[in-house]
């Protein structure tokens, strides 16, 4: 394999050239937001884009790294901010680094044993996600929230466990401010 370079647009988060842009609309995240009534009401009228991520396809092998940039739109479903689905890695003993590029948000992390952590992210903040921690990003601002991610080539994505349990805490707007509250629907994985 040969070396290569990419150009990263800090305003949109897109790579040039990129191999794939994934779009996640509300209909792709059924049941992930707490307020399912608001979700249904919105879906009756429209199917808003929640986030997109631009990827360069690289070998899914130990020794390589994967690169991606995500842009989460500003907005809420009920009082919960737009967010990514979140995942553990398919190879759970792999880590990841996120770099905030624009906008503001929060990184939520949890382990299957019920440990929880969060880090506020803005431009320039580098967050290290250790092995075994599931991760989700949330846009708490009024502009698109953009971040760069780099992780081991063979880490993969495990969405199923988050789909089953949800996150232990959710980020909602109260008095115009983001507040982290316990997720009443969270269940520990058995
Ligand atoms: O690898 C990562 O953690 C990111 O590039 C995410 O895949 C990206 O932010 C989209 O989130 P998710 O994979 O949870 O849908
Ligand atoms: Ni990841």
């Amino acid at each position: 394999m040969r070396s290569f370079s990419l150009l990263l647009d800090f305003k949109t988060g897109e790579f040039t050239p990129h191999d794939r842009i994934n779009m996640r609309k509300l209909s792709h995240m059924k049941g992930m937001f707490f307020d399912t009534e608001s979700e249904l009401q919105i879906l009756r009228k429209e199917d808003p884009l929640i986030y997109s991520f631009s990827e360069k396809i690289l070998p899914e092998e130990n020794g390589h790294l994967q690169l991606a940039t995500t842009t989460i739109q500003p907005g809420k479903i009920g009082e919960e901010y737009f967010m990514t689905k979140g995942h553990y890695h398919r190879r759970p003993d792999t880590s990841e680094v996120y770099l905030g590029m624009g906008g503001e948000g929060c990184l939520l992390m949890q382990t299957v044993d019920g440990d929880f952590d969060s880090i506020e992210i803005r431009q320039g903040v580098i967050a290290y996600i250790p092995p075994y921690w599931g991760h989700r990003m949330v846009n708490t601002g009024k502009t698109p929230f953009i971040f760069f991610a780099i992780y081991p080539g063979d880490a993969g994505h495990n969405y199923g466990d988050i789909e089953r349990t949800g996150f232990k805490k959710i980020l909602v707007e109260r008095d115009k401010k983001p507040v982290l509250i316990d997720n009443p629907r969270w269940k520990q994985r058995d």
Side-chain angles (χ1 to χ4, degrees):
M1 182 174 166
R2 308 290 298 181
S3 62
F4 66 88
S5 67
L6 302 172
L7 199 62
L8 176 50
D9 183 330
F10 275 58
K11 289 210 176 69
T12 64
E14 267 180 32
F15 293 138
T16 310
H18 56 255
D19 294 314
R20 189 163 52 204
I21 296 197
N22 305 279
M23 300 286 187
R24 294 276 185 269
K25 294 182 166 192
L26 183 57
S27 61
H28 301 134
M29 299 180 72
K30 285 214 172 85
M32 291 195 137
F33 288 94
F34 178 69
D35 188 344
T36 41
E37 190 48 48
S38 293
E39 177 188 311
L40 285 174
Q41 255 177 33
I42 293 168
L43 281 175
R44 264 181 231 127
K45 287 182 284 179
E46 51 165 349
D47 187 8
L49 175 68
I50 308 292
Y51 63 102
S52 56
F53 53 112
S54 175
E55 285 178 307
K56 167 84 188 142
I57 295 181
L58 286 159
E60 291 191 12
E61 288 167 17
N62 182 22
H64 281 277
L65 294 168
Q66 303 293 344
L67 313 173
T69 307
T70 306
T71 304
I72 309 180
Q73 298 304 313
K76 286 176 290 165
I77 304 297
E79 47 179 23
E80 190 175 8
Y81 296 101
F82 281 10
M83 61 191 184
T84 60
K85 284 182 169 191
H87 57 268
Y88 295 95
H89 286 163
R90 198 175 57 233
R91 240 196 77 187
D93 61 342
T94 52
S95 54
E96 181 151 356
V97 169
Y98 279 170
L99 164 65
M101 293 187 354
E104 51 197 276
C106 190
L107 167 61
L108 309 184
M109 290 163 285
Q110 69 183 21
T111 66
V112 291
D113 304 324
D115 209 350
F116 180 87
D117 206 358
S118 67
I119 295 178
E120 281 181 31
I121 307 284
R122 59 188 152 69
Q123 190 176 71
V125 174
I126 294 173
Y128 183 76
I129 303 162
Y132 301 104
W133 286 76
H135 38 285
R136 161 180 285 167
M137 282 288 238
V138 185
N139 184 350
T140 53
K142 304 245 174 294
T143 57
F145 175 42
I146 305 172
F147 60 96
F148 177 69
I150 183 161
Y151 55 102
D154 57 345
H157 293 86
N158 161 7
Y159 292 103
D161 286 327
I162 295 292
E163 279 163 13
R164 269 192 293 285
T165 66
F167 261 75
K168 195 172 179 186
K169 289 180 189 276
I170 59 176
L171 253 175
V172 296
E173 188 174 83
R174 299 268 164 90
D175 296 327
K176 302 208 162 87
K177 287 201 197 79
V179 186
L180 207 49
I181 60 165
D182 285 338
N183 177 2
R185 278 208 232 114
W186 179 75
K187 357 182 211 325
Q188 204 156 333
R189 197 174 72 161
D190 25 66

